[in-house]
């Protein structure tokens, strides 16, 4: 939905803008690595720790640390993060001396953390500590007015410089009637794929290959906008089409 983009906007429009903006995806890292990545480790702390390594809270000192998908952080790491949030102090893995770092923490999640607390998957006290200011970034389906400018941006970004593709009126209407379960990233991929398959650099509805939608009560059935399924092409066939279009340009 653009959570990291919003986090960057906050950072680069603040007094911390000249300092580091550091991102960690809590869902993409195993538990045993998150602690050492966040808080660093001392030489000899474990088998492969041949040198002392800086952690992300140290690298982000005086800047911003963005904790993406914090709802995926395990219960074993949450108390250590809470302790750091309380006073800015931490210890390296294998270390005994307390260190400090002054960072702004921005966290993001696509989960309902209140529900995660009820399931015993997230600490209530950690949520209270994180939840000073809450910004809700609505999904793309609730921001229909963003679809056209985002599509134009991705067309400029993904099209060959000499011949940027254009979006037909019918194709735009198809996008406006689509629910985008994959949000902005899905829109970007749809536009990129459409550029590959369109003829004469004009994207038509059939070039979008939108996934058929089920039970979409908000769909305007009078508009005669159709949805299309993705064709059964192999990766090699898609690559061939892409290469041929690139050579033509």
């Amino acid at each position: 939905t653009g959570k990291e983009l919003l986090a960057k906007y906050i950072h680069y429009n603040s007094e911390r803008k000249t300092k580091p903006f550091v991102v960690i995806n809590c869902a993409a890292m195993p538990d045993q690595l998150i602690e050492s990545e966040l808080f660093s480790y001392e030489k000899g702390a474990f088998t492969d720790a041949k040198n002392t390594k800086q952690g992300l809270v140290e690298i982000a000192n005086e800047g911003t640390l963005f904790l993406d998908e914090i709802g995926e952080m395990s219960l074993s790491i949450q108390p250590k993060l809470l302790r750091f949030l309380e006073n800015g102090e931490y210890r390296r893995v294998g270390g005994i001396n307390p260190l400090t770092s002054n960072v702004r923490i921005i966290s993001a999640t696509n989960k309902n953390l209140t529900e995660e607390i009820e399931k015993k998957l997230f600490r209530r006290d950690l949520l209270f500590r994180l939840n000073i200011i809450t910004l809700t970034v609505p999904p793309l389906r609730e921001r229909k007015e963003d679809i056209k400018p985002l599509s134009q941006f991705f067309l400029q970004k993904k099209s060959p410089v000499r011949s940027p593709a254009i979006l037909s009126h019918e194709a735009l209407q198809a996008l406006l009637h689509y629910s985008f379960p994959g949000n902005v990233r899905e829109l970007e991929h749809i536009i990129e794929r459409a550029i590959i398959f369109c003829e004469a650099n004009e994207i038509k509805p059939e070039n979008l290959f939108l996934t058929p939608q089920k039970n979409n009560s908000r769909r305007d059935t009078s508009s005669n906008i159709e949805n299309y399924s993705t064709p059964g092409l192999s990766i090699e066939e898609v690559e061939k089409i892409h290469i041929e279009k690139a050579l033509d340009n």
Side-chain angles (χ1 to χ4, degrees):
T1 59
K3 297 186 294 294
E4 184 174 341
L5 191 66
L6 180 58
K8 288 181 178 179
Y9 181 85
I10 292 170
H11 173 75
Y12 289 110
N13 286 275
S14 73
E15 294 182 356
R16 297 176 183 261
K17 61 186 176 183
T18 61
K19 302 300 181 179
F21 177 83
V22 179
V23 180
I24 181 170
N25 188 327
C26 301
M29 199 168 291
D31 295 349
Q32 61 270 26
L33 276 181
I34 288 182
E35 182 179 4
S36 60
E37 285 295 314
L38 278 175
F39 303 119
S40 69
Y41 55 80
E42 296 283 1
K43 180 179 179 180
F46 45 86
T47 303
D48 294 326
K50 298 179 181 179
N51 297 290
T52 298
K53 179 184 177 182
Q54 278 188 311
L56 297 181
V57 298
E58 187 175 351
I59 294 171
N61 187 35
E62 298 186 0
T64 299
L65 179 62
F66 178 53
L67 303 173
D68 196 12
E69 302 299 348
I70 195 167
E72 302 292 342
M73 181 176 283
S74 72
L75 286 169
S76 62
I77 305 298
Q78 290 178 28
K80 298 171 183 178
L81 176 61
L82 177 62
R83 189 181 308 117
F84 172 70
L85 292 174
E86 289 292 344
N87 53 26
E89 289 189 355
Y90 66 97
R91 286 185 174 87
R92 290 173 176 160
V93 176
I96 58 174
N97 297 321
L99 302 171
T100 61
S101 181
N102 174 15
V103 300
R104 172 197 282 118
I105 298 290
I106 301 177
S107 58
T109 181
N110 59 9
K111 291 187 173 183
N112 184 321
L113 293 185
T114 302
E115 293 179 359
E116 294 298 295
I117 289 172
E118 297 301 321
K119 296 175 184 176
K120 309 296 184 185
L121 297 175
F122 202 83
R123 291 178 62 107
R124 188 180 302 273
D125 49 2
L126 178 56
L127 176 59
F128 288 156
R129 189 64 187 84
L130 288 168
N131 196 25
I132 297 174
I133 298 174
T134 299
L135 300 174
T136 301
V137 185
L140 186 57
R141 64 180 174 273
E142 296 178 11
R143 295 153 38 202
K144 295 289 187 180
E145 68 277 6
D146 287 349
I147 292 174
K148 183 176 180 179
L150 283 171
S151 298
Q152 295 298 334
F153 172 76
F154 292 135
L155 283 169
Q156 292 295 324
K157 178 182 177 182
K158 301 294 184 177
S159 295
V161 176
R162 289 177 294 174
S163 54
I166 60 174
L167 198 63
S168 69
H169 174 74
E170 294 77 13
L172 176 59
Q173 292 304 307
L175 291 174
L176 292 173
H177 287 80
Y178 184 61
S179 64
F180 290 101
N183 287 300
V184 179
R185 187 173 287 111
E186 183 183 12
L187 174 59
E188 180 177 9
H189 293 165
I190 287 171
I191 294 297
E192 183 174 12
R193 183 174 61 221
I195 291 171
I196 296 173
F197 286 103
C198 72
E199 298 291 338
N201 286 340
E202 182 181 27
I203 295 174
K204 298 180 179 180
E206 59 267 25
N207 304 133
L208 299 172
F209 302 112
L210 300 180
T211 304
Q213 300 175 92
K214 297 180 180 180
N215 299 324
N216 186 357
S217 59
R218 290 179 295 178
R219 182 181 173 185
D220 181 4
T221 56
S222 65
S223 63
N224 295 320
I225 298 298
E226 296 183 47
N227 286 321
Y228 300 86
S229 59
T230 305
L233 296 178
S234 67
I235 294 176
E236 290 78 11
E237 289 171 319
V238 173
E239 287 178 345
K240 180 180 179 181
I241 295 171
H242 189 41
I243 291 170
E244 288 173 347
K245 288 185 68 67
L247 290 174
D248 289 342
N249 290 307

